[in-house]
Amino acid sequence: MIKTIQKNRIALSVPHMSGNEMKYIQEAFNSNWIAPLGSNVDAFEKEMAGFVGANGAVAVNSGTAAIHLALILLNVKKGDTVFCSSLTFVASANPILYEGAEPVFIDSEPETWNMSPNALERAFQEACENNQLPKAVIIVNLFGQSAKMDELALICKRYGVPIIEDSAESLGSAYKGKASGTFGEFGIFSFNGNKIITTSGGGMLVSDNVEALEKARFLITQAKDKAPYYQHSEKGYNYRLSNISAGIGRAQLEVLNSRIAARRNVYQLYEQELGNVPGITFMPELENTFSNRWLTALMIDERVRGVTVRELITALEEENIEARHVWKPMHMQPLFDGCKYYKHNENDNISEQLFRSGLCLPSSSSLTVEEQMRVIVSIWNNSKILLR
Ligand SMILES: *Cc1c(COP(=O)(O)O)cnc(C)c1O
């Protein structure tokens, strides 16, 4: 085994500034709009809505807040149920709990790793029989890959239940030419530090329903009534994005397309060097879809490769390389003990398989080819069976 000497850290996904951020931050300073609201916030909302082709957008201080708002706007209440992809980050499902509603988790299917139309249909059939249709369906686009939107949307439409598209990881991706985030009643994005673009922390709610977005603006600024004093008749939130953060977002949005190109190149090189290795399968890109390839993800068949995902992550860590498991499915989380879960089909539990064998590789848009080759060589060296 070749031991590489300790080198600089290669992280999973790091912020990548364009250099233009300070210009917008300076504008905020010059006008002294160091606050939520302000010209950067207004412009960032318009620019995001324009980018994805939605009627409007509301900037908030996290992607989680955007999901919470979407649930509130869809009138999710205590005792309601909400369907949600199981293979996702906990932020997709936590807001369901905020409203005292109950999540029902839906498995993935193998072609996109995202929500299985089969499982969704079965969940709806049972819900219908029990007279307990969900108030909403949260569909996640994992690592930039679009879910099978046509199939999923058709089912939701048949039962008359609105979709919230969790596009936190898929900004700039498209399904059959239509932008990620525009398939549901609401779409949400995240600008957390590890996402494809960042505002250091922030999120966006997008929709064609401008009335609902107006309501969202009211709710996220403490639900202040139109009155000459501070009067409140509804429960409000402090979810507004700051004008400084929005300034960072504007500069980041300007370079989004080049960040996507860079992440897709990162994927290409991994695929080129590891794609033919027996026992390694990359996350597919569904036909007629375009993935931003936020994270390159693959499956390791431990029977072929002679190494488990956990062992490989540990071995990479010893070489100062950060790789991670794919998300641990929500139905396997202690937090959601007892929640319903619908498998892809009787024999296949896809999200559990993906959790057991899935690996996310360093995928920053600023990753150099040299750094990436270090990751690739390390994977070669740490798979027990001789590769080429
Ligand atoms: C990051 C992420 C979120 C939440 O975004 P925050 O801005 O961190 O609150 C929601 N869903 C998914 C799938 C994510 O990856």
Side-chain angles (χ1 to χ4, degrees):
M1 197 207 283
I2 308 161
K3 267 272 169 207
T4 45
I5 27 165
Q6 197 74 344
K7 291 186 183 140
N8 63 310
R9 176 97 177 140
I10 300 178
L12 191 75
S13 179
V14 297
H16 186 179
M17 294 297 108
S18 74
N20 233 358
E21 288 80 6
M22 290 308 287
K23 183 183 94 184
Y24 294 109
I25 294 174
Q26 194 61 52
E27 277 178 25
F29 272 71
N30 292 348
S31 60
N32 205 31
W33 276 111
I34 316 297
L37 306 177
S39 60
N40 280 333
V41 174
D42 296 342
F44 188 35
E45 288 178 344
K46 282 205 183 70
E47 288 155 6
M48 271 292 294
F51 182 84
V52 298
N55 281 350
V58 172
V60 289
N61 54 17
S62 73
T64 311
I67 298 172
H68 187 198
L69 269 176
L71 292 173
I72 294 167
L73 293 166
L74 292 174
N75 204 24
V76 171
K77 294 250 155 51
K78 193 171 158 62
D80 287 337
T81 56
V82 174
F83 290 179
C84 182
S85 303
S86 189
L87 189 62
T88 185
F89 179 49
V90 70
S92 305
N94 264 335
I96 302 170
L97 301 182
Y98 301 168
E99 288 307 303
E102 208 171 299
V104 171
F105 294 111
I106 313 292
D107 196 7
S108 301
E109 50 80 23
E111 287 180 326
T112 64
W113 299 17
N114 287 311
M115 190 181 277
S116 155
N118 274 344
L120 180 67
E121 177 63 48
R122 286 206 324 285
F124 263 121
Q125 276 169 14
E126 262 196 50
C128 210
E129 283 160 20
N130 299 333
N131 235 333
Q132 170 73 297
L133 279 180
K135 277 281 184 67
V137 179
I138 301 174
I139 300 176
V140 180
N141 301 312
L142 213 59
F143 308 137
Q145 163 73 65
S146 295
K148 289 190 170 173
M149 279 303 170
D150 280 350
E151 290 88 336
L152 295 170
L154 199 70
I155 298 169
C156 294
K157 196 170 167 205
R158 192 147 34 79
Y159 289 95
V161 176
I163 293 170
I164 298 168
E165 194 183 2
D166 181 346
S167 309
E169 303 177 3
S170 62
L171 176 59
S173 300
Y175 175 92
K176 298 188 178 173
K178 191 168 151 67
S180 204
T182 61
F183 284 84
E185 179 72 12
F186 297 102
I188 77 94
F189 296 99
S190 165
F191 310 113
N192 192 31
N194 60 349
K195 297 288 163 37
I196 194 155
I197 61 170
T198 184
T199 59
S200 84
M204 193 73 74
L205 179 72
V206 303
S207 182
D208 283 337
N209 184 345
V210 282
E211 230 170 273
L213 293 178
E214 265 325 297
K215 180 77 195 267
R217 282 200 182 85
F218 165 77
L219 292 172
I220 64 178
T221 46
Q222 307 287 16
K224 190 171 171 287
D225 290 343
K226 282 202 176 73
Y229 27 69
Y230 284 94
Q231 176 174 297
H232 307 272
S233 343
E234 262 187 82
K235 183 167 65 179
Y237 302 85
N238 183 3
Y239 278 173
R240 208 66 168 113
L241 187 69
S242 94
N243 198 42
I244 303 285
S245 299
I248 301 173
R250 293 184 71 189
Q252 287 272 288
L253 192 57
E254 289 168 355
V255 295
L256 174 58
N257 284 329
S258 77
R259 298 299 184 253
I260 294 170
R263 296 221 182 214
R264 285 180 64 88
N265 283 341
V266 165
Y267 164 78
Q268 282 295 330
L269 186 59
Y270 281 130
E271 217 276 332
Q272 179 190 310
E273 298 299 320
L274 298 166
N276 294 325
V277 174
I280 290 184
T281 323
F282 282 84
M283 182 188 209
E285 189 170 17
L286 189 69
E287 209 179 323
N288 290 321
T289 67
F290 176 84
S291 171
N292 68 12
R293 290 284 182 190
W294 172 55
L295 292 184
T296 291
L298 50 80
M299 281 189 295
I300 304 267
D301 186 336
E302 68 175 89
R303 288 161 310 180
V304 178
R305 287 266 49 82
V307 66
T308 64
V309 171
R310 181 77 55 82
E311 286 165 348
L312 199 49
I313 289 173
T314 307
L316 289 165
E317 189 55 53
E318 274 167 19
E319 301 187 29
N320 216 6
I321 295 166
E322 183 188 21
R324 289 205 192 154
H325 288 277
V326 306
W327 304 121
K328 181 175 181 177
M330 292 304 110
H331 72 275
M332 298 171 78
Q333 301 286 352
L335 174 64
F336 296 114
D337 251 358
C339 289
K340 274 196 188 153
Y341 169 63
Y342 289 87
K343 288 194 291 186
H344 179 51
N345 60 43
E346 212 172 297
N347 300 317
D348 293 301
N349 197 331
I350 303 296
S351 65
E352 289 191 17
Q353 284 172 27
L354 288 166
F355 172 57
R356 267 197 303 276
S357 63
L359 178 69
C360 295
L361 296 179
S363 306
S364 301
S365 48
S366 55
L367 197 66
T368 64
V369 171
E370 291 72 27
E371 287 172 324
Q372 219 189 322
M373 285 313 294
R374 248 179 74 201
V375 179
I376 290 162
V377 168
S378 181
I379 293 173
W380 284 344
N381 290 347
N382 288 296
S383 300
K384 284 178 189 124
I385 299 166
L386 201 57
L387 302 173
R388 306 195 141 188

